Amino acid sequence: MKIAFFVHFFPALSETFILNQIVGLIDRGYDVDIYANSPANEPKVHTDVDRYDLLKRTYYYGPFSNSIPASKVLRFLKGINLFIINFHKNPRALLKSLNIYKFKKEAVSLKMFYKTIPFINLKTYDIIHSHFGSNGLFAVSLKDMGLIKGKIITSFHGYDMSGYVTTHGNNVYNPLFLKGDLFLPISNHWKKKLIKMGCPEQKILVHRMGIDVNKFCYYSEKQKKNKIKILSVARLVEKKGIHYGIEAVAVLAKVYDDIEYIIVGDGPLKNSFDNLVKKMQIDGIVKFLGWREQNEIIQLLQKANIFLAPSVTSNDDDQEGIPVAIMEAMALGLPVVSTSHSGIPELVKDGVSGFLVPERDAVSLTNRLAYLLDHPEIRAEMGRCGREIVKDHFD
């Protein structure tokens, strides 16, 4: 079976769920290709990218691949040249890519035309698995133009069901709902929204972005010594809510002198968080480690006592799905403090495997963290329950 993955970025450190699917399919003998708009250009890659030589399976169709000129004049002139060179290969597809009625700004700017060039020689797959709704729309467009063949499956995660829909309207996925073959929201929360948006319910299956629990050995609370470590693993963007985590730790630091807050990840808000930490005079307690690959993250989780994921809905309506990092923390036996956000309550059971508080509520975060700091026996019990939940429902 031949399978194509359509993704925004590859490789990307924050999208282990996509990487795990790809290598899992390769291990099972499937022929996999990866189509990405561009690489993420991060300082590290997960070891499986090199171990499976995945870059040899990866094809880029965005500006990275075609060097789309920023200048409209140069873009037009280069487009003419590409049109002449490639017209005989698939004239119907190239003309369709210029359909202003269908592709609007993407056609006027020639972006759709440039995107079609890497697909000009017809590709046939059994399955085209698009991660995120916008990539599903792109796959349907390519199929309409006769550039790619195969059943189209689309996984919906977070931004594609929140901020993207807010920007483009509730009808944005209508062409995909009509021509896509299967839709895989990662939560019941998103399934309900897909149905509300008009997706046929018989085409929907909730498919968790689970983890291989066998890679995460349970670590009991008794195995952890020295300072109490609170850990977050997240891109440093608004929806991850790290700002509120820092505020909560700043309050705790006045009472507890044996805590550390370790933040793994990077992003556009890094400087803002640095300044906040200095302002609150907790730069000796909060440590930013930047990006880490999977094995390094596992080692950090093994040494942590509490996992903190204070997710929020951002000002542009961007939301989480169900963060895989929370699953990994629970598999290793960590209690979780998070928020009643998106699909997170489908994973973290409040009072059982952790605590859930309202979004943007640093006071409640502080209180729940303090309770866990004071009760190591509760941390241990929640950690055991959390691992069982992941084993039973997210493996």
Side-chain angles (χ1 to χ4, degrees):
M1 182 181 286
K2 289 180 65 67
I3 302 170
F5 276 79
F6 276 43
V7 300
H8 292 310
F9 306 106
F10 191 86
L13 283 166
S14 63
E15 295 181 347
T16 53
F17 50 92
I18 296 176
L19 177 63
N20 290 340
Q21 279 192 345
I22 290 169
V23 300
L25 289 166
I26 293 171
D27 285 344
R28 287 159 178 79
Y30 295 106
D31 187 359
V32 178
D33 287 335
I34 304 155
Y35 293 90
N37 185 66
S38 67
N41 291 323
E42 293 165 335
K44 294 186 174 210
V45 297
H46 291 300
T47 53
D48 278 347
V49 174
D50 295 326
R51 183 181 299 133
Y52 288 82
D53 209 4
L54 294 182
L55 293 183
K56 285 190 176 179
R57 299 173 178 263
T58 304
Y59 304 89
Y60 296 106
Y61 59 80
F64 175 81
S65 63
N66 291 310
S67 301
I68 302 177
S71 164
K72 293 180 180 179
V73 174
L74 291 178
R75 189 185 311 163
F76 179 74
L77 292 174
K78 183 176 180 178
I80 291 175
N81 184 53
L82 287 171
F83 188 86
I84 294 170
I85 292 171
N86 292 287
F87 186 74
H88 70 283
K89 298 176 184 177
N90 200 326
R92 176 172 170 266
L94 289 182
L95 289 172
K96 277 195 169 188
S97 74
L98 300 172
N99 186 330
I100 296 174
Y101 175 77
K102 186 169 186 177
F103 298 117
K104 300 179 175 64
K105 290 181 180 179
E106 287 249 298
V108 173
S109 66
L110 298 183
K111 287 182 180 178
M112 196 65 194
F113 168 78
Y114 275 87
K115 284 181 178 180
T116 64
I117 298 299
F119 300 93
I120 205 69
N121 295 313
L122 182 66
K123 300 276 187 179
T124 300
Y125 294 95
D126 297 288
I127 293 171
I128 301 157
H129 189 162
S130 300
H131 276 277
F132 298 94
S134 56
N135 288 321
L137 285 170
F138 181 49
V140 163
S141 298
L142 292 177
K143 192 172 182 179
D144 277 350
M145 287 188 277
L147 287 167
I148 200 163
K149 290 183 178 179
K151 298 286 187 180
I152 295 177
I153 296 173
T154 306
S155 289
F156 291 90
H157 294 275
Y159 171 74
D160 52 347
M161 290 298 293
S162 52
Y164 187 82
V165 174
T166 300
T167 300
H168 297 279
N170 283 327
N171 296 324
V172 64
Y173 293 131
N174 283 358
L176 180 57
F177 294 158
L178 181 65
K179 298 180 180 179
D181 296 285
L182 181 65
F183 302 96
L184 303 177
I186 55 85
S187 68
N188 286 303
H189 179 73
W190 291 142
K191 176 184 177 179
K192 292 174 184 176
K193 183 165 183 177
L194 282 174
I195 294 170
K196 189 174 181 180
M197 291 174 66
C199 184
E201 186 171 0
Q202 66 272 20
K203 288 186 176 183
I204 303 173
L205 289 173
V206 174
H207 186 67
R208 308 295 192 185
M209 288 294 102
I211 61 172
D212 183 352
V213 175
N214 291 328
K215 291 183 178 179
F216 299 85
C217 297
Y218 175 74
Y219 262 63
S220 70
E221 179 67 27
K222 291 180 180 178
Q223 291 174 271
K224 297 162 186 179
K225 309 293 182 182
N226 304 320
K227 286 189 174 183
I228 301 296
K229 298 180 188 297
I230 301 168
L231 178 67
S232 292
V233 179
R235 287 178 60 236
L236 302 186
V237 294
E238 185 186 357
K239 72 176 177 181
K240 296 296 183 178
I242 298 299
H243 177 101
Y244 300 97
I246 293 171
E247 286 188 354
V249 169
V251 176
L252 294 170
K254 296 175 182 178
V255 180
Y256 302 88
D257 58 5
D258 60 343
I259 63 170
E260 283 185 336
Y261 183 28
I262 299 167
I263 301 170
V264 177
D266 207 337
L269 295 182
K270 172 63 165 57
N271 289 338
S272 172
F273 293 154
D274 274 334
N275 292 334
L276 180 62
V277 166
K278 290 174 183 175
K279 178 182 176 182
M280 294 186 163
Q281 299 180 327
I282 51 172
D283 38 324
I285 294 169
V286 179
K287 296 181 179 179
F288 294 96
L289 300 189
W291 288 119
R292 291 290 186 269
E293 55 90 16
Q294 184 74 69
N295 291 329
E296 293 174 310
I297 291 173
I298 290 174
Q299 291 173 14
L300 289 165
L301 287 166
Q302 288 170 343
K303 296 174 182 177
N305 302 87
I306 301 168
F307 191 80
L308 177 58
S311 302
V312 302
T313 301
S314 70
N315 288 323
D316 61 358
D317 199 37
D318 188 8
Q319 296 178 33
E320 299 270 25
I322 302 178
V324 173
I326 299 180
M327 299 176 203
E328 295 173 347
M330 290 170 65
L332 282 162
L334 286 181
V336 175
V337 177
S338 189
T339 55
S340 300
H341 170 86
S342 187
I344 291 175
E346 296 176 38
L347 171 64
V348 181
K349 305 305 178 185
D350 187 32
V352 176
S353 56
F355 290 120
L356 298 177
V357 305
E359 294 183 27
R360 302 179 186 274
D361 188 344
V363 173
S364 292
L365 284 175
T366 304
N367 292 338
R368 290 309 193 186
L369 287 168
Y371 183 82
L372 289 176
L373 291 173
D374 291 336
H375 295 88
E377 74 285 358
I378 300 297
R379 297 201 299 264
E381 179 58 26
M382 285 185 164
R384 284 193 292 270
C385 291
R387 180 170 174 85
E388 291 304 310
I389 289 170
V390 174
K391 281 176 62 179
D392 292 342
H393 304 289
F394 293 85
D395 188 343

PDB file of all heavy atoms in Angstrom, residues 351-366:
ATOM      1  N   GLY A 351      -9.330  15.549  39.315  1.00  0.00           N
ATOM      2  CA  GLY A 351      -9.365  14.907  40.613  1.00  0.00           C
ATOM      3  C   GLY A 351      -8.944  13.452  40.594  1.00  0.00           C
ATOM      4  O   GLY A 351      -8.844  12.824  41.652  1.00  0.00           O
ATOM      5  N   VAL A 352      -8.689  12.887  39.415  1.00  0.00           N
ATOM      6  CA  VAL A 352      -8.307  11.480  39.294  1.00  0.00           C
ATOM      7  C   VAL A 352      -6.863  11.351  38.823  1.00  0.00           C
ATOM      8  O   VAL A 352      -6.019  10.750  39.484  1.00  0.00           O
ATOM      9  CB  VAL A 352      -9.251  10.728  38.327  1.00  0.00           C
ATOM     10  CG1 VAL A 352      -8.790   9.278  38.139  1.00  0.00           C
ATOM     11  CG2 VAL A 352     -10.689  10.772  38.834  1.00  0.00           C
ATOM     12  N   SER A 353      -6.572  11.923  37.642  1.00  0.00           N
ATOM     13  CA  SER A 353      -5.208  11.866  37.101  1.00  0.00           C
ATOM     14  C   SER A 353      -4.528  13.230  37.143  1.00  0.00           C
ATOM     15  O   SER A 353      -3.399  13.382  36.675  1.00  0.00           O
ATOM     16  CB  SER A 353      -5.229  11.351  35.660  1.00  0.00           C
ATOM     17  OG  SER A 353      -6.080  12.139  34.855  1.00  0.00           O
ATOM     18  N   GLY A 354      -5.218  14.193  37.696  1.00  0.00           N
ATOM     19  CA  GLY A 354      -4.668  15.543  37.781  1.00  0.00           C
ATOM     20  C   GLY A 354      -5.765  16.519  38.152  1.00  0.00           C
ATOM     21  O   GLY A 354      -6.842  16.120  38.612  1.00  0.00           O
ATOM     22  N   PHE A 355      -5.498  17.795  37.910  1.00  0.00           N
ATOM     23  CA  PHE A 355      -6.487  18.825  38.191  1.00  0.00           C
ATOM     24  C   PHE A 355      -6.687  19.689  36.950  1.00  0.00           C
ATOM     25  O   PHE A 355      -5.727  20.004  36.231  1.00  0.00           O
ATOM     26  CB  PHE A 355      -6.030  19.722  39.345  1.00  0.00           C
ATOM     27  CG  PHE A 355      -6.034  19.031  40.683  1.00  0.00           C
ATOM     28  CD1 PHE A 355      -4.859  18.912  41.415  1.00  0.00           C
ATOM     29  CD2 PHE A 355      -7.206  18.517  41.225  1.00  0.00           C
ATOM     30  CE1 PHE A 355      -4.846  18.281  42.651  1.00  0.00           C
ATOM     31  CE2 PHE A 355      -7.212  17.889  42.464  1.00  0.00           C
ATOM     32  CZ  PHE A 355      -6.026  17.763  43.177  1.00  0.00           C
ATOM     33  N   LEU A 356      -7.939  20.077  36.726  1.00  0.00           N
ATOM     34  CA  LEU A 356      -8.274  21.010  35.652  1.00  0.00           C
ATOM     35  C   LEU A 356      -8.838  22.284  36.266  1.00  0.00           C
ATOM     36  O   LEU A 356      -9.681  22.227  37.165  1.00  0.00           O
ATOM     37  CB  LEU A 356      -9.301  20.392  34.701  1.00  0.00           C
ATOM     38  CG  LEU A 356      -8.871  19.129  33.956  1.00  0.00           C
ATOM     39  CD1 LEU A 356     -10.032  18.591  33.115  1.00  0.00           C
ATOM     40  CD2 LEU A 356      -7.659  19.410  33.073  1.00  0.00           C
ATOM     41  N   VAL A 357      -8.372  23.433  35.772  1.00  0.00           N
ATOM     42  CA  VAL A 357      -8.842  24.726  36.264  1.00  0.00           C
ATOM     43  C   VAL A 357      -9.337  25.542  35.078  1.00  0.00           C
ATOM     44  O   VAL A 357      -9.054  25.203  33.924  1.00  0.00           O
ATOM     45  CB  VAL A 357      -7.718  25.483  37.012  1.00  0.00           C
ATOM     46  CG1 VAL A 357      -7.140  24.627  38.131  1.00  0.00           C
ATOM     47  CG2 VAL A 357      -6.613  25.921  36.052  1.00  0.00           C
ATOM     48  N   PRO A 358     -10.061  26.625  35.315  1.00  0.00           N
ATOM     49  CA  PRO A 358     -10.486  27.477  34.203  1.00  0.00           C
ATOM     50  C   PRO A 358      -9.285  28.091  33.481  1.00  0.00           C
ATOM     51  O   PRO A 358      -8.206  28.257  34.067  1.00  0.00           O
ATOM     52  CB  PRO A 358     -11.328  28.560  34.894  1.00  0.00           C
ATOM     53  CG  PRO A 358     -11.750  27.953  36.192  1.00  0.00           C
ATOM     54  CD  PRO A 358     -10.617  27.065  36.604  1.00  0.00           C
ATOM     55  N   GLU A 359      -9.481  28.428  32.215  1.00  0.00           N
ATOM     56  CA  GLU A 359      -8.420  29.075  31.448  1.00  0.00           C
ATOM     57  C   GLU A 359      -8.059  30.435  32.060  1.00  0.00           C
ATOM     58  O   GLU A 359      -8.909  31.113  32.630  1.00  0.00           O
ATOM     59  CB  GLU A 359      -8.866  29.293  29.994  1.00  0.00           C
ATOM     60  CG  GLU A 359      -9.077  28.017  29.203  1.00  0.00           C
ATOM     61  CD  GLU A 359      -9.432  28.289  27.759  1.00  0.00           C
ATOM     62  OE1 GLU A 359      -9.047  29.347  27.227  1.00  0.00           O
ATOM     63  OE2 GLU A 359     -10.098  27.430  27.136  1.00  0.00           O
ATOM     64  N   ARG A 360      -6.797  30.801  31.932  1.00  0.00           N
ATOM     65  CA  ARG A 360      -6.282  32.114  32.348  1.00  0.00           C
ATOM     66  C   ARG A 360      -6.498  32.387  33.843  1.00  0.00           C
ATOM     67  O   ARG A 360      -6.658  33.534  34.252  1.00  0.00           O
ATOM     68  CB  ARG A 360      -6.907  33.235  31.501  1.00  0.00           C
ATOM     69  CG  ARG A 360      -6.665  33.094  30.006  1.00  0.00           C
ATOM     70  CD  ARG A 360      -7.321  34.218  29.202  1.00  0.00           C
ATOM     71  NE  ARG A 360      -7.200  33.982  27.783  1.00  0.00           N
ATOM     72  CZ  ARG A 360      -6.148  34.342  27.034  1.00  0.00           C
ATOM     73  NH1 ARG A 360      -5.129  34.954  27.585  1.00  0.00           N
ATOM     74  NH2 ARG A 360      -6.125  34.078  25.736  1.00  0.00           N
ATOM     75  N   ASP A 361      -6.492  31.352  34.632  1.00  0.00           N
ATOM     76  CA  ASP A 361      -6.741  31.496  36.073  1.00  0.00           C
ATOM     77  C   ASP A 361      -5.484  31.097  36.841  1.00  0.00           C
ATOM     78  O   ASP A 361      -5.339  29.962  37.302  1.00  0.00           O
ATOM     79  CB  ASP A 361      -7.929  30.627  36.479  1.00  0.00           C
ATOM     80  CG  ASP A 361      -8.382  30.868  37.918  1.00  0.00           C
ATOM     81  OD1 ASP A 361      -7.610  31.468  38.686  1.00  0.00           O
ATOM     82  OD2 ASP A 361      -9.491  30.429  38.267  1.00  0.00           O
ATOM     83  N   ALA A 362      -4.552  32.044  36.977  1.00  0.00           N
ATOM     84  CA  ALA A 362      -3.276  31.760  37.642  1.00  0.00           C
ATOM     85  C   ALA A 362      -3.471  31.431  39.116  1.00  0.00           C
ATOM     86  O   ALA A 362      -2.708  30.643  39.690  1.00  0.00           O
ATOM     87  CB  ALA A 362      -2.332  32.957  37.487  1.00  0.00           C
ATOM     88  N   VAL A 363      -4.504  32.003  39.746  1.00  0.00           N
ATOM     89  CA  VAL A 363      -4.761  31.735  41.162  1.00  0.00           C
ATOM     90  C   VAL A 363      -5.129  30.265  41.373  1.00  0.00           C
ATOM     91  O   VAL A 363      -4.609  29.592  42.266  1.00  0.00           O
ATOM     92  CB  VAL A 363      -5.879  32.652  41.708  1.00  0.00           C
ATOM     93  CG1 VAL A 363      -6.254  32.256  43.133  1.00  0.00           C
ATOM     94  CG2 VAL A 363      -5.432  34.111  41.664  1.00  0.00           C
ATOM     95  N   SER A 364      -6.026  29.751  40.523  1.00  0.00           N
ATOM     96  CA  SER A 364      -6.421  28.341  40.644  1.00  0.00           C
ATOM     97  C   SER A 364      -5.250  27.418  40.318  1.00  0.00           C
ATOM     98  O   SER A 364      -5.086  26.367  40.955  1.00  0.00           O
ATOM     99  CB  SER A 364      -7.600  28.041  39.717  1.00  0.00           C
ATOM    100  OG  SER A 364      -8.760  28.715  40.152  1.00  0.00           O
ATOM    101  N   LEU A 365      -4.441  27.786  39.342  1.00  0.00           N
ATOM    102  CA  LEU A 365      -3.238  27.006  39.040  1.00  0.00           C
ATOM    103  C   LEU A 365      -2.336  26.926  40.270  1.00  0.00           C
ATOM    104  O   LEU A 365      -1.838  25.863  40.638  1.00  0.00           O
ATOM    105  CB  LEU A 365      -2.459  27.626  37.873  1.00  0.00           C
ATOM    106  CG  LEU A 365      -2.988  27.437  36.459  1.00  0.00           C
ATOM    107  CD1 LEU A 365      -2.136  28.247  35.481  1.00  0.00           C
ATOM    108  CD2 LEU A 365      -3.005  25.973  36.047  1.00  0.00           C
ATOM    109  N   THR A 366      -2.147  28.074  40.906  1.00  0.00           N
ATOM    110  CA  THR A 366      -1.309  28.140  42.106  1.00  0.00           C
ATOM    111  C   THR A 366      -1.835  27.224  43.196  1.00  0.00           C
ATOM    112  O   THR A 366      -1.083  26.454  43.815  1.00  0.00           O
ATOM    113  CB  THR A 366      -1.245  29.586  42.629  1.00  0.00           C
ATOM    114  OG1 THR A 366      -0.772  30.451  41.593  1.00  0.00           O
ATOM    115  CG2 THR A 366      -0.323  29.692  43.835  1.00  0.00           C
TER     116      THR A 366
END
